[in-house]
Structure formats: C-alpha cells, structure tokens
Amino acid sequence: MSGLSFAFASPAILAALILLPAIWWLLRLTPPQPRTEVFPPLRILASILKREETPARSPWWLTLLRMLLAALVILAIANPMFNPRTNTLSSSGPLVLMIDNSWASISDWERRVRTADALIDDADAKSIPVSIAFTAEQGNDATPGAATSARDKLHAINPRPLVPDRQRAAEAVKAALNGSKPGTVAFLSDGIESKDKDDIVSRLAALQPSELRLIEGDGRDVVALTGAANTASNMTVTATRLNGSGPMRLGLTAQDNQGRPIAAGSLDFTGGQTVATGSIAAPFEMRNDFARISIDRQASAGSVYLLDDGFRRRRVALLSGQAADEFQPILSPLYYIQRALQPYADLTQPNSADLAKSIPQLLAGNPSVIIMADVGRLPQETYAPLQKWIESGGTLVRFAGPRLAAAPADDPLVPVTLRQGERTFGGALSWAEPQPLADFPSFGPFAGMPKPNDVLIKRQVLAEPTPDLAERTWASLADGTPLVTEKQMQAGRIVLFHVSAEPQWSDLPISGNFVEMLRRIVQLSRAGGVASSQGAAKASEAMPPYRLLTAKGVLTSEIGSARPLEPNNKGAAVASFDNPPGLYGSEEGFSALNTLPSGAALKPLDTSAAGAVAREGLIGGEAWSAKPILFTFAFLLLLADSIIVLFMNGAFPRLGRSAKTIAGGAAMLLLAASLAMFLHPANALADDSKPGDDAIFSRLDKTHLAFVVTGETDVDHISERGLAGLSDYLTYRTTLEPGPPVGVDLAKDELAFYPLIYWPISATAPMPSNDAINRIDAYMRNGGTVLFDTRDAIDTMGDTSSPSPNGQRLQQILANLDIPPLEPVPAGHVLTKSFYLLSSFPGRYADSPLWVEARQDARRDANAVATSDGVTPIMITGNDFAGAWAVGDNGSPLLPTVPPDETQREYAYRTGVNIMMYMLTGNYKSDQVHVPDILQRLGQ
C-alpha cells in the first residue's frame, strides 16, 4: 500500500465542533480575583459595606488554550485513522496466503493472525476461494477452499521453534493450484532469509499472480543467540540481529536446570553491527551450573541458547614426571598439553612435587580429568584413592615417556599391558621408518576426524597383544600398533597415549589434531567431577527427545512427533521438523539442539529479483489511530490550565525562608569515624618465624653439600668428612667456596636448598619411610639430584650374578621412586668435561660405573642430554666416593683407596668437582662454543 490516507472512525462526533463559540463565551467570564489587604483595622471596618461587583474577563490566551483543549477532545472521540484498510483483493483467482510461523514470528503473531483474518474476510466478502500454507509446518493442504475453512486452519496453527522451510510450502501451493493462476498472493513474512540465496519471492512471482504482496512485521528487534563458549574467565555468548542500523544493548541471564537465574551479563551491538559477542562473568563452578542463556525481555526460541554437558568447562589436573623448566618452557612435558586445553578447560597443577601429597590435593579439588605426562611409578599409597576416583567417574589420561617405559608392567593404572622399553623408528639399529597414523576407527571419540597426514611417530611404547586390544584402541599407527588405548573402570576410564607429550617422540603434540583429540577426550568426562550425577550422552547412540523448546523459548515435556536424534559424524546436528530444538537424551545425560546453528547470521529477505512487489505492514503497523496522541495532548493542556489557574489565585507565595544547613550531623559522624580509625591501635607485625628458621637462613648464603643421615655413626661420619674434604678441594681448586656439609633427615628437613644429596646405602640401616621416599622423589622432580653410593664395588668384583646387600637395599628404595631409564656415563657426556677432562669416575674403588639418566634419542650427538637443563636427577655408583674424599681434622685421608693409589684419590676428587660443576651449570659445557678449547686440551 502506497501513499498516506486519512479517515475518521466516528465522523459524526465532529458536529460537536459547532459548540466552540459558546464555549468561548462561557470561558471568558471568570469570578473576580481575591484582594490582599494589609491589617489596618479601620480599613477592614470601612470595607464591610457590600458593593456590587461585576465579573472579570479571563485573558485571551487562557481562553484560546481552553478552546484548543476542547477541540482536541472532540477530535480524539472522533478517532482519526491513518492508512485505514481497504478491500483491494484481485478477483481473477484464488487468494493465496503463505504465512511464516517460525520462531521469529512469535513477537507479532497476534498481528499476523489479525492481518490474515482481515484478508480472509475480504476474500469472503467477494466470494474468492482461499489457499493457505504455513512455512514451519511439515505438511500443508493448500487446496483453495472456502474462507471459513481457511480461517479454521489459521486459528489452529501456532508458531514453531524452527527456521521456515519456504520452498516446501511453495511447492505445496504450486501443486494445489495445479497450473491455475492466483489472483492475490499475500506472503506474511518474518523478514528473515531462511537460507543462503532465499528465492521464495521469485518462486511466488513465478505463479503469475495478478497481485503479489509482501507483508512484513517489525523485524528491528529480532535478535537470536547463535553460540556460547565457556572460556577460562567467563561465558562468552554470540548473538545476531536483523537490523543493524543503530546501537543496541541487551541483557543476558543464565539459568540453572530448575530455571532459576544465577548470573547475568550484557551484550552490545554498535551501529552497523549485526553480529556481536557478550559475556557473563561468574566463577568456574557457577558457570558449570548454567543450563540455558536467554536475552532479557525477549521470549522466543531464538533468544534462548540451551547448554548441555558438552558446554561445561572441565577441571583438568596436570602432573609431570619431571620439573618444569622456567627458562625453556617449550621443553616441558606439560607445555603442549597446557596450550591445547587452556581454551577448553580449567587447568590446575599441584603446589608440591611430592606425589604422595599432590595427588590427594588434586583429588580433593574433584577434577574431571587427571593428565600424567611421563609418570612411571607412583607412591604406593596413592593407587587406592586414584582407582576409587576413576571408578566413581574420573578420567585418567597418561602419556608415555622414558619413565613410563621403564615402569613395571603390572601397573594397575595403565589400560593395557606394556612391554618394557621403547620402540624406535628410523634409528641406527632399526629398519623401520617413522610411521604415520592409520584412519581413526568408527567407534571412540575420534570417529569422524580426518586422518592427519603430517604426523609421524618416531618412538612409542608397545602393548602386549590381547584378544580385546583392537576394541580398546582408539587410534593406531599405519602398521597396526596402538597409539591411543583405553580401559573402562566402572563409571570412569583410563586413556594412554603410547607416545610422549613432547615432539621428541612424534609430531603429534605440534599438530592441530592433538588439540582436537585432547578436547574430545576431556569432553567425554563428567563436567562436575566424579560427584556429578549427570553424564554425557553417548555420541554413538540415538538420543530420544527429552525436553523440547517451544516458540516462546520454554522447555516442555510434550515431544509430539519428534524423533530420536541420530549421531552425525559429518557435523553438528541442525534443528528440523523431525528434530525440533530442545534436549535429547535423558535425565542422566542429554545433548542440546538449538534453534539456529552455531555461527548463523540473520539476514533480511532479498526481494530485488522478484519484480514488482507491493510491500505492506501488518495490521497495527500500517494502520494506526491518532486517538491516544490527541488525548495525551488534551491532558497536557488540562494540566497546564490547572497550574495557570493556581498561579493566578496566589496558591504559590514566594518562599522567603533561607535554607538551613543539615550537614552538621553528617560531618560530626564522619569526624567521629575518622577519629576512631586514627585512635585504633595498629596491628603489630606478626612474627611468622618458625623453629629451625635460623638454621635454614644460615644455609642460604653459601652452597652446602648434603648427605643423608642413615643413623649409623660410622657411615654418617665418613659421609660428613668426605663432603668436608670435597668442599675443601672445591675451595682450593675452583671459585666455588662451599659451606660446611649438612646432614639431612629425609622425613623432616627441607631438601630444596641443596643441589646434590649424597646417599650412602647401608643394608643394616633402617629402611626409609614412605614419606621420606616421597619427599626424595619430589626433590628429584624439582630438579635436585641424588647420588646413591652402594659402596660395594669391592664386594661385587668376583660375583656379578646377584647384588650385594647394599645393592638389594638400593633396589628396594628405587622400587618406590619414579626414575628414568639409566645408563653408564657415555663418552662425551657433560660429566666428562664440566671442569676436568675425565674418562672414568673412581672413588675409593674404581671398578663400578657411574649411572646417570639415559639419553632419550640414540641418534643425537654425544653432547645431547636427556633433560631440559642437562642435569640427571639420579646418579648411582658403588665406588664409595665419600670414602675417597674423607679427611681428618689434620687434612689427611681417613680411608685408603683400593688399591692404594694417591692418583686414584686425586681423580676421585676431580670426579667430585665435575659432579658439582655439572650440578651447578647443567649442560653449559655441552655448548659447541667450548669444543675448540676442549679439542686443544685433548691435543687434537
């Protein structure tokens, strides 16, 4: 409808305008204004006589105001209408009504129905048959019929929480017309493009109607939520709107499963912006209780975003088999895991390297997932609580590495039985080349992921073949050996990556597939930890409808004809007639299906290619009454008239009072509060010192060599005198000036102050407690080194088939420690050149090798080191170093070397110097800058 028309709904009322002259005459006469007299008694007595008074006349401008007020009232009662409807339907064919009853039509559905009713009434007045179709209905009987039948269909339909399928409705209309041309085609559209290049207007124009009308509602306020992400600090929400002409601020509300609002946020559109992102700030635990997010003051399926277990942010605890290198974090076993999971999970790490303390601490935080990177042996007392946590629903993810490869094969926290050692591809002793990955199996969390072509596996730990190994394998190499295996343990599971979390074993940690694989495994876990009563619905099973969303954005248990949601490996599910938006699954676990797919954008319906189209608005939009406006102006004039009359009659005398201050009381209160704060005694600094702190402070100024107090006087005396002799030698030959040696009790003393702890093994000494073992294990994880000395080289010279008593005791101690694979110090190791050039490491005896952490890659050069800083966490010897270093008060040796040789003692001291320089400088001497000087010293 074009142009602007005007009419009165009750034109007879306008006859009252002829009364305006009479009203003018009446309003001109007003009673006299009262006079104010000063109190002179005589004047009052003189004015007692009553005199005849004549009425006064009101000002002309006041009379004009009152006349205007009366005219506005008369015009308002006459009800002027702008753009009144007229019956202009074409009689050349049936009336075709196509109505959008999508989610976006809920806001103006009543107007939409009134508009369609009016068109049906017009058709009924001209005896025109009516064909009606709805775009959000699965089936339409669009056969032209009586207006009564079309009206019944109209009132039986409600909006649906779906995107309209206009093409299906247009085909139904075309089939119903059967080639005949319609008269008027009226498309009551929601104004939103239902898909890319929506050509519905062109399809309707192809029916060749005499008249094509596009009737649209007011789509300026249509907003939909299209995404939500539970980030590290808040919940981010993505929204899209149809009209981006001006700025808009929307309030967001997050509700729990009971529909109670628990958090709020906001979302802002700038001018010209149709897609925006808002946020809801809330603690991690509260965000995991979000069940739905909605836009304030909007009630539609598009303004609601449903959340399921997959949107909940998991708490993931991280454990590493070795200390993190702050200077080279990229070499840390947890570096790539942290980068992969940081956007999707809440990551926590223990404060202590002592696994006996850190694992219970992590379990107390109720994590959903625990990830262990190259952790071999665990403290014995931690196995039971970990198993209980897994059986209650926890997910344990482990990565292989040198420590796990050397761990016992009967570890209960490994999903498959492992062969000890590692399998190397492409090495000097291997015929096999690095292996790519095979296609992911159709089961498991990686189903549907494309096979990565840029990932090669260089090393792995192998699983012993078992009948169910293939069923437990989620990913494998091209040769069929497992890459990722898992085992169910009641409500939880254990997952093992047969490669390390670092790029030394494979290219997987530096590929994008690593992020997606970890994300999918984490999403399998329970979002609220093991105590959560909700579990994720299995992606491989069809999920029945549980709660469905209405067009008003309300969840209901009425499922109607909805079908189970089938798994879709090709992408995310999309709402349809068979699967309306809502929750699918059960109370135990469900999956959310929202009205609009993730990342969708609302676009206006394009009508440029349809030719001549008459555009109209819904009833209540294009036709409007001026009555409310006229009554409003009349009320304002009445209010103005009343105020003017009050002023003219002296109802507002001038206020001559001076203002009194009331701030005195407030000032006194503030002064009293300030005085109280000033006079309040300040708290003295608390003395946080603890017993033994003086001894600790005294050891911080210098480097001290430490030894383990075994409880045997002779052994402890030799250890103390041996480290004292080495300290004197270091002071004499190097710039290092150590302080006096310190004997440490593993169960009580702080170990972090000492770079090296010498531990003389004695079979007759008491076995260390589990707590002491755990503390020494934590010390080694934090970068410290323990030098175990069995002092039994002389005892094992003749018989190497069985270990000595001291060697057996060492095996018992190491059985509870998570240690890496060991090897004798190879040629070219940093220990051979850290200060002196050495080829052997003698002590009081010279026949026992010095064992250190094995290099992880045999293909490296001789200068390569096994750890990030080149310092092995463990050394083992049987040469009795302390016996060779021990000196008396006069500086003479306490024990002879075997065989007696002062040159051997000199080399024993040099061994001690190299070990200390190695402890303090790491792989400094492995740098290539030192090679020319070292070769010159060697005479090469």
Side-chain angles (χ1 to χ4, degrees):
M1 184 177 294
S2 59
L4 181 66
S5 59
F6 175 81
F8 285 95
S10 302
I13 303 297
L14 297 178
L17 293 175
I18 63 176
L19 299 176
L20 289 179
I23 297 174
W24 172 275
W25 182 79
L26 291 173
L27 292 177
R28 290 282 292 172
L29 302 178
T30 61
Q33 182 177 354
R35 291 182 305 168
T36 302
E37 297 286 352
V38 185
F39 178 75
L42 296 178
R43 289 289 299 270
I44 294 176
L45 294 175
S47 63
I48 290 177
L49 259 167
K50 191 72 174 174
R51 290 176 294 189
E52 183 179 356
E53 298 176 350
T54 58
R57 296 179 178 274
S58 63
W60 66 268
W61 49 269
L62 181 60
T63 303
L64 182 62
L65 183 145
R66 292 172 177 173
M67 292 289 294
L68 181 60
L69 187 153
L72 288 176
V73 171
I74 294 172
L75 291 175
I77 296 175
N79 192 12
M81 299 289 297
F82 290 88
N83 290 337
R85 290 193 68 259
T86 56
N87 189 349
T88 59
L89 293 181
S90 173
S91 302
S92 62
L95 167 67
V96 175
L97 287 176
M98 180 175 291
I99 303 175
D100 276 341
N101 61 325
S102 63
W103 66 269
S105 65
I106 187 65
S107 60
D108 55 10
W109 180 248
E110 295 300 327
R111 292 174 57 201
R112 199 172 294 268
V113 171
R114 290 201 305 269
T115 303
D117 257 333
L119 291 172
I120 294 174
D121 290 342
D122 293 344
D124 193 12
K126 292 186 176 183
S127 299
I128 299 175
V130 180
S131 171
I132 188 168
F134 302 91
T135 59
E137 297 297 324
Q138 192 167 7
N140 282 291
D141 182 8
T143 304
T148 304
S149 176
R151 191 177 292 109
D152 292 340
K153 292 180 181 178
L154 173 65
H155 291 283
I157 293 297
N158 290 313
R160 306 290 185 188
L162 296 170
V163 175
D165 190 347
R166 294 168 179 151
Q167 283 66 30
R168 177 182 294 203
E171 291 298 328
V173 170
K174 182 178 179 181
L177 293 177
N178 196 20
S180 62
K181 296 182 180 180
T184 298
V185 174
F187 177 30
L188 279 71
S189 169
D190 58 16
I192 303 174
E193 196 174 62
S194 62
K195 64 176 185 178
D196 289 339
K197 299 180 181 179
D198 192 346
D199 60 347
I200 182 61
V201 180
S202 299
R203 286 174 177 261
L204 295 177
L207 298 177
Q208 300 180 355
S210 300
E211 180 188 20
L212 177 57
R213 299 184 184 181
L214 179 61
I215 305 176
E216 296 178 308
D218 189 359
R220 290 177 299 177
D221 297 330
V222 176
V223 184
L225 300 180
T226 59
N230 200 351
T231 63
S233 58
N234 55 25
M235 176 75 77
T236 60
V237 182
T238 303
T240 177
R241 62 173 176 169
L242 183 62
N243 186 359
S245 58
M248 177 186 291
R249 161 160 284 198
L250 299 173
L252 301 174
T253 299
Q255 300 173 341
D256 60 9
N257 286 325
Q258 305 300 323
R260 296 169 298 193
I262 56 177
S266 62
L267 186 146
D268 293 315
F269 287 94
T270 60
Q273 188 180 24
T274 58
V275 177
T277 301
S279 63
I280 301 177
F284 162 74
E285 292 79 6
M286 185 178 292
R287 281 184 276 125
N288 273 359
D289 288 335
F290 291 178
R292 54 182 285 172
I293 300 172
S294 58
I295 301 176
D296 296 345
R297 295 185 297 277
Q298 293 200 19
S300 71
S303 63
V304 172
Y305 200 84
L306 301 176
L307 305 175
D308 55 21
D309 198 55
F311 287 92
R312 298 182 180 181
R313 193 174 180 86
R314 274 68 169 169
R315 175 176 281 122
V316 179
L318 305 179
L319 286 174
S320 173
Q322 67 183 56
D325 191 336
E326 297 180 357
F327 300 100
Q328 295 176 307
I330 199 171
L331 299 178
S332 170
L334 296 176
Y335 178 82
Y336 297 96
I337 298 175
Q338 289 173 324
R339 294 301 183 274
L341 290 180
Q342 198 165 19
Y344 310 105
D346 184 57
L347 305 181
T348 62
Q349 289 185 257
N351 298 324
S352 172
D354 186 351
L355 296 183
K357 296 180 180 179
S358 60
I359 290 179
Q361 174 190 348
L362 293 178
L363 294 179
N366 196 21
S368 299
V369 182
I370 295 178
I371 298 181
M372 296 183 180
D374 190 22
V375 176
R377 294 179 177 90
L378 294 172
Q380 192 62 37
E381 63 270 23
T382 62
Y383 281 95
L386 271 174
Q387 288 175 315
K388 182 179 179 181
W389 171 78
I390 296 171
E391 292 170 355
S392 300
T395 299
L396 175 64
V397 181
R398 303 190 68 173
F399 283 85
R403 287 175 173 80
L404 185 61
D410 57 349
D411 190 339
L413 298 181
V414 174
V416 294
T417 303
L418 298 177
R419 296 180 180 178
Q420 279 204 318
E422 311 156 12
R423 180 191 184 197
T424 303
F425 299 99
L429 301 178
S430 173
W431 293 95
E433 294 295 328
Q435 289 286 309
L437 269 63
D439 292 328
F440 293 110
S442 58
F443 60 91
F446 309 144
M449 285 182 58
K451 181 183 70 172
N453 297 319
D454 57 344
V455 173
L456 292 177
I457 307 300
K458 309 164 191 173
R459 304 175 71 172
Q460 68 173 151
V461 290
L462 285 174
E464 292 287 353
T466 57
D468 61 346
L469 181 59
E471 301 174 0
R472 295 189 187 181
T473 302
W474 283 352
S476 59
L477 306 188
D479 62 0
T481 54
L483 176 67
V484 182
T485 55
E486 69 92 25
K487 180 178 72 171
Q488 291 282 340
M489 288 183 63
Q490 296 186 16
R493 60 171 51 88
I494 303 174
V495 181
L496 172 65
F497 281 77
H498 290 240
V499 294
S500 69
E502 307 164 84
Q504 295 175 356
W505 283 36
S506 70
D507 300 326
L508 183 62
I510 57 177
S511 71
N513 297 84
F514 186 68
V515 178
E516 181 64 15
M517 293 170 74
L518 279 182
R519 188 187 69 82
R520 293 195 180 196
I521 292 176
V522 169
Q523 290 300 108
L524 287 178
S525 64
R526 292 187 174 184
V530 298
S532 174
S533 61
Q534 294 183 353
K538 293 183 179 180
S540 60
E541 299 179 0
M543 294 171 285
Y546 171 53
R547 296 282 190 274
L548 295 184
L549 200 65
T550 67
K552 292 184 178 180
V554 178
L555 283 174
T556 177
S557 57
E558 297 292 333
I559 61 175
S561 60
R563 297 183 179 180
L565 184 64
E566 299 289 340
N568 183 10
N569 292 331
K570 296 181 180 180
V574 178
S576 63
F577 295 115
D578 292 332
N579 300 124
L583 304 177
Y584 289 80
S586 65
E587 188 176 1
E588 299 296 328
F590 48 78
S591 179
L593 181 61
N594 286 287
T595 304
L596 296 179
S598 178
L602 299 183
K603 300 178 181 179
L605 184 64
D606 185 12
T607 60
S608 58
V613 178
R615 307 180 76 98
E616 300 179 8
L618 298 174
I619 286 180
E622 82 289 350
W624 57 280
S625 172
K627 180 191 290 188
I629 299 177
L630 295 176
F631 271 125
T632 300
F633 277 113
F635 174 76
L636 293 175
L637 291 179
L638 178 62
L639 185 64
D641 179 84
S642 301
I643 295 175
I644 291 172
V645 170
L646 290 175
F647 265 107
M648 293 177 65
N649 291 335
F652 300 102
R654 288 182 296 176
L655 299 177
R657 302 192 193 104
S658 60
K660 296 181 179 181
T661 179
I662 60 174
M668 291 299 294
L669 290 175
L670 289 175
L671 180 61
S674 302
L675 186 61
M677 293 178 60
F678 178 77
L679 296 178
H680 192 278
N683 292 329
L685 293 177
D687 186 7
D688 293 334
S689 61
K690 300 178 181 178
D693 284 355
D694 293 339
I696 292 176
F697 292 150
S698 65
R699 297 171 187 171
L700 294 178
D701 57 343
K702 286 187 176 182
T703 300
H704 295 264
L705 308 185
F707 64 94
V708 174
V709 177
T710 63
E712 295 184 340
T713 305
D714 294 341
V715 176
D716 294 341
H717 176 68
I718 294 299
S719 298
E720 190 273 334
R721 297 315 304 164
L723 296 185
L726 179 59
S727 298
D728 293 340
Y729 193 90
L730 286 167
T731 303
Y732 177 68
R733 293 296 180 93
T734 71
T735 57
L736 175 63
E737 298 180 2
V742 177
V744 295
D745 184 346
L746 296 180
K748 298 179 181 179
D749 295 334
E750 178 58 54
L751 308 179
F753 304 119
Y754 315 108
L756 177 72
I757 296 179
Y758 178 76
W759 191 338
I761 303 299
S762 175
T764 57
M767 180 67 184
S769 64
N770 288 336
D771 182 62
I773 296 296
N774 294 333
R775 297 185 79 242
I776 202 69
D777 188 48
Y779 167 78
M780 294 165 64
R781 290 179 190 278
N782 281 332
T785 298
V786 181
L787 174 55
F788 294 95
D789 195 341
T790 57
R791 305 172 296 121
D792 59 356
I794 190 66
D795 299 330
T796 58
M797 290 179 59
D799 183 12
T800 59
S801 59
S802 60
S804 66
N806 288 356
Q808 294 177 4
R809 174 56 60 87
L810 177 62
Q811 291 178 353
Q812 295 173 3
I813 295 174
L814 297 183
N816 297 318
L817 290 175
D818 185 20
I819 61 173
L822 303 177
E823 66 178 354
V825 175
H829 192 278
V830 182
L831 271 172
T832 64
K833 53 191 175 184
S834 58
F835 193 84
Y836 293 104
L837 296 177
L838 300 176
S839 58
S840 62
F841 304 91
R844 191 177 172 214
Y845 314 113
D847 296 323
S848 176
L850 178 62
W851 294 81
V852 294
E853 180 179 2
R855 291 170 293 180
Q856 294 187 24
D857 197 338
R859 293 175 298 172
R860 293 182 176 184
D861 58 34
N863 291 325
V865 292
T867 57
S868 59
D869 62 353
V871 177
T872 176
I874 182 174
M875 296 183 186
I876 300 176
T877 185
N879 284 335
D880 190 8
F881 285 164
W885 301 334
V887 295
D889 295 337
N890 57 359
S892 59
L894 293 181
L895 298 175
T897 60
V898 179
D901 186 358
E902 289 305 312
T903 302
Q904 179 176 322
R905 191 184 305 276
E906 174 64 23
Y907 276 94
Y909 278 120
R910 293 186 178 186
T911 296
V913 172
N914 272 27
I915 290 175
M916 283 306 301
M917 293 299 125
Y918 173 58
M919 293 298 100
L920 298 175
T921 62
N923 59 1
Y924 169 70
K925 281 298 181 70
S926 66
D927 199 317
Q928 291 297 315
V929 71
H930 300 285
V931 170
D933 295 331
I934 294 174
L935 292 178
Q936 182 180 4
R937 291 285 306 277
L938 292 173
Q940 298 181 8

